[in-house]
Amino acid sequence: MRAALVEEFRERAQIMIATEAGAEGINLQFCSLVINYDLPWNPQRVEQRIGRCHRYGQKHNVVVVNFLNQKNAADQRVLQLLAEKFNLFSGVFGASDEVLGAVESGMDIERSIAEIYQKCKTTAQINAAFDDLQKALDTEIKARLKKTRHSLLEHFDVDVISKLRMTKADSHVFLQRVEKWLWQLSMLLLKGHARFDAEQLRFTLNDSPFDHEVRAGLYGLRRDDDEATHLRLNHPLTKGLLKQARVLETPSAELRFDLTNNQGRVGALDGLQGKRGTLLLTKVEVKSLETTDHLLFTAVTDDGAVLKQEQCRKLMELPALASPEPVAIDTKALARTTNACCRASAWN
């Protein structure tokens, strides 16, 4: 019967109304809207409901709508508890099974909330009881979240981490690649002209090193930062930064890349720790139906191994220390390697 109902919903119907039986053991991945008419007190049951649709392989953003009785103070505090303490609607993977398991092993959440509903009669009593419950949960949740995030950073590749749902508080750590480059470029070229706040990903521009179109003021990379001007790629300040960057002198230098202090594991660089080599970046102009520019890396280790383009890009995204003095590099030999790799179509 359950399988037949799911098939009817998938093939012909537009809405499925289900009791708690619809939260277990069925695959509703073809659906992307979940409406919780009433919220269970048990966070694992809420997670199960959302998990019917929000599964690995889901191709659409899953929208979760929670109905709430605004006249019921206890219902409001249940929603707050689920959203803020368990991150059920905005956390990493939703709520982590490790977090839920740790909390439930120490106390019965559903029973605790049921006692509040039964014993507390006034709004003040309800709020005081929920405050005590949240304090009891805080220590366990924070400890488990810290351990989970540490495991995530230690064992997952940075590209995998960037695709996971992060909380807004964590999203600044994992900028998109272009945003990360823009932030680093701003710090390099606006040194002495701006005061930077790395925590908030914003800076105060005191005076503009470019034309009159760029005004002094607060700029930022976070789209949800309502106080700062969002630094987009087509903004005059960004255009000025890119224009200045194109004419910068780039003398040969010795770089020591720091992989140990990088946030997240970089799988593309496995096996390169401790190795030395030479790297060259070349701008190549390709003329066909239209002219396009491409940046090609050439990197060869001292033992003769040629690095792939992705490895070079990941390498250049790491923090590094540069030698104070320029070094002599045989760029002609690297150029020959570039030409050989282009002819062999080895740029992968």
Side-chain angles (χ1 to χ4, degrees):
M1 177 66 74
R2 284 158 60 90
L5 290 171
V6 171
E7 182 181 357
E8 174 71 17
F9 181 36
R10 181 177 59 245
E11 301 296 336
R12 289 168 290 277
Q14 293 184 334
I15 299 173
M16 172 184 276
I17 300 175
T19 63
E20 197 64 35
E24 298 179 3
I26 59 175
N27 185 349
L28 302 179
Q29 191 174 326
F30 54 86
C31 175
S32 57
L33 174 63
V34 179
I35 299 176
N36 284 310
Y37 184 81
D38 63 333
L39 278 172
W41 300 338
N42 188 330
Q44 286 186 326
R45 288 168 62 192
V46 182
E47 182 76 355
Q48 284 176 331
R49 290 184 181 187
I50 300 172
R52 298 310 95 214
C53 298
H54 191 268
R55 307 163 65 91
Y56 290 109
Q58 170 64 265
K59 297 180 180 179
H60 304 283
N61 290 329
V62 174
V63 177
V64 180
V65 178
N66 299 309
F67 283 4
L68 177 66
N69 180 3
Q70 292 185 325
K71 294 182 180 180
N72 189 318
D75 284 357
Q76 294 184 43
R77 291 302 301 266
V78 168
L79 177 61
Q80 180 188 18
L81 186 69
L82 297 174
E84 296 181 7
K85 296 303 175 186
F86 291 97
N87 295 318
L88 276 172
F89 312 112
S90 62
V92 183
F93 305 122
S96 166
D97 287 341
E98 290 188 49
V99 175
L100 294 179
V103 172
E104 294 234 337
S105 65
M107 60 189 307
D108 190 330
I109 303 298
E110 196 166 4
R111 185 183 62 193
S112 300
I113 294 177
E115 289 179 356
I116 295 175
Y117 271 81
Q118 292 170 2
K119 296 180 179 180
C120 299
K121 305 303 180 184
T122 67
T123 300
Q125 290 175 340
I126 290 171
N127 285 330
F130 270 102
D131 286 342
D132 291 340
L133 178 60
Q134 290 189 190
K135 289 177 182 177
L137 292 171
D138 266 345
T139 303
E140 292 180 86
I141 291 178
K142 288 179 180 179
R144 183 61 65 170
L145 279 175
K146 183 177 181 180
K147 182 178 179 180
T148 301
R149 286 170 180 161
H150 176 75
S151 299
L152 185 70
L153 293 173
E154 183 178 352
H155 299 294
F156 279 76
D157 191 271
V158 288
D159 287 340
V160 176
I161 295 173
S162 67
K163 291 178 174 61
L164 298 176
R165 291 192 300 138
M166 307 300 294
T167 64
K168 285 185 178 180
D170 297 329
S171 61
H172 71 278
V173 179
F174 302 101
L175 290 175
Q176 296 297 323
R177 181 173 291 175
V178 174
E179 292 175 328
K180 184 177 180 180
W181 290 342
L182 181 54
W183 176 255
Q184 293 173 339
L185 190 63
S186 301
M187 292 185 66
L188 173 67
L189 299 182
L190 296 179
K191 186 176 181 180
H193 298 276
R195 186 175 68 256
F196 289 87
D197 182 352
E199 282 294 321
Q200 298 297 323
L201 289 172
R202 51 160 65 168
F203 59 86
T204 302
L205 186 65
N206 300 319
D207 60 277
S208 172
F210 308 122
D211 53 44
H212 63 280
E213 290 186 51
V214 180
R215 298 179 179 179
L218 186 63
Y219 292 86
L221 268 69
R222 289 171 50 183
R223 297 178 185 274
D224 61 342
D225 189 346
D226 297 329
E227 298 179 354
T229 300
H230 183 225
L231 197 61
R232 305 177 305 275
L233 286 178
N234 60 353
H235 192 278
L237 177 55
T238 306
K239 292 180 178 179
L241 291 170
L242 294 174
K243 183 178 180 181
Q244 184 175 341
R246 290 190 183 100
V247 297
L248 282 178
E249 292 187 8
T250 55
S252 300
E254 181 179 337
L255 300 177
R256 181 181 294 272
F257 296 101
D258 185 2
L259 185 59
T260 57
N261 291 321
N262 187 62
Q263 274 200 308
R265 174 176 164 267
V266 187
L269 300 181
D270 286 349
L272 294 179
Q273 291 88 338
K275 291 196 173 184
R276 296 174 56 92
T278 313
L279 183 145
L280 173 70
L281 180 62
T282 308
K283 187 175 80 169
V284 178
E285 186 178 87
V286 178
K287 294 183 178 180
S288 54
L289 294 177
E290 59 181 20
T291 301
T292 58
D293 290 336
H294 298 269
L295 295 176
L296 293 180
F297 286 99
T298 306
V300 182
T301 63
D302 287 352
D303 54 11
V306 178
L307 271 59
K308 295 181 179 180
Q309 292 296 291
E310 182 65 14
Q311 290 176 300
C312 296
R313 283 193 290 267
K314 294 294 185 185
L315 195 64
M316 295 302 293
E317 290 174 4
L318 295 177
L321 290 175
S323 61
E325 301 295 332
V327 296
I329 297 177
D330 186 0
T331 55
K332 291 183 178 179
L334 285 174
R336 290 193 294 270
T337 303
T338 302
N339 293 332
C341 289
C342 286
R343 287 193 297 271
S345 299
W347 299 117
N348 51 24

Short mmCIF file of all heavy atoms in Angstrom, two decimals, residues 80 154 156 248 260:
data_model
loop_
_atom_site.label_atom_id
_atom_site.label_comp_id
_atom_site.label_asym_id
_atom_site.label_seq_id
_atom_site.Cartn_x
_atom_site.Cartn_y
_atom_site.Cartn_z
N GLN A 80 12.18 27.19 17.97
CA GLN A 80 13.47 27.85 18.23
C GLN A 80 14.54 26.82 18.61
O GLN A 80 15.69 26.89 18.14
CB GLN A 80 13.31 28.87 19.36
CG GLN A 80 14.60 29.60 19.69
CD GLN A 80 14.45 30.46 20.94
OE1 GLN A 80 13.53 30.29 21.73
NE2 GLN A 80 15.37 31.40 21.12
N GLU A 154 39.25 17.68 8.47
CA GLU A 154 40.43 16.82 8.43
C GLU A 154 40.35 15.77 7.34
O GLU A 154 41.34 15.43 6.71
CB GLU A 154 40.60 16.15 9.80
CG GLU A 154 41.84 15.27 9.91
CD GLU A 154 41.99 14.68 11.29
OE1 GLU A 154 41.22 15.05 12.19
OE2 GLU A 154 42.89 13.83 11.46
N PHE A 156 37.72 15.53 4.66
CA PHE A 156 37.10 15.82 3.39
C PHE A 156 37.95 16.81 2.59
O PHE A 156 38.59 17.68 3.14
CB PHE A 156 35.70 16.41 3.58
CG PHE A 156 34.64 15.38 3.84
CD1 PHE A 156 34.54 14.76 5.07
CD2 PHE A 156 33.75 15.01 2.86
CE1 PHE A 156 33.58 13.81 5.32
CE2 PHE A 156 32.78 14.06 3.09
CZ PHE A 156 32.69 13.46 4.32
N LEU A 248 51.12 44.34 -12.82
CA LEU A 248 52.07 44.15 -11.73
C LEU A 248 53.30 43.39 -12.22
O LEU A 248 53.20 42.47 -13.04
CB LEU A 248 51.43 43.34 -10.59
CG LEU A 248 50.47 44.06 -9.65
CD1 LEU A 248 49.90 43.07 -8.64
CD2 LEU A 248 51.17 45.20 -8.92
N THR A 260 49.99 22.63 5.95
CA THR A 260 49.53 22.20 7.28
C THR A 260 48.50 23.16 7.87
O THR A 260 47.60 22.74 8.59
CB THR A 260 50.72 22.09 8.25
OG1 THR A 260 51.40 23.36 8.30
CG2 THR A 260 51.69 21.03 7.78
#
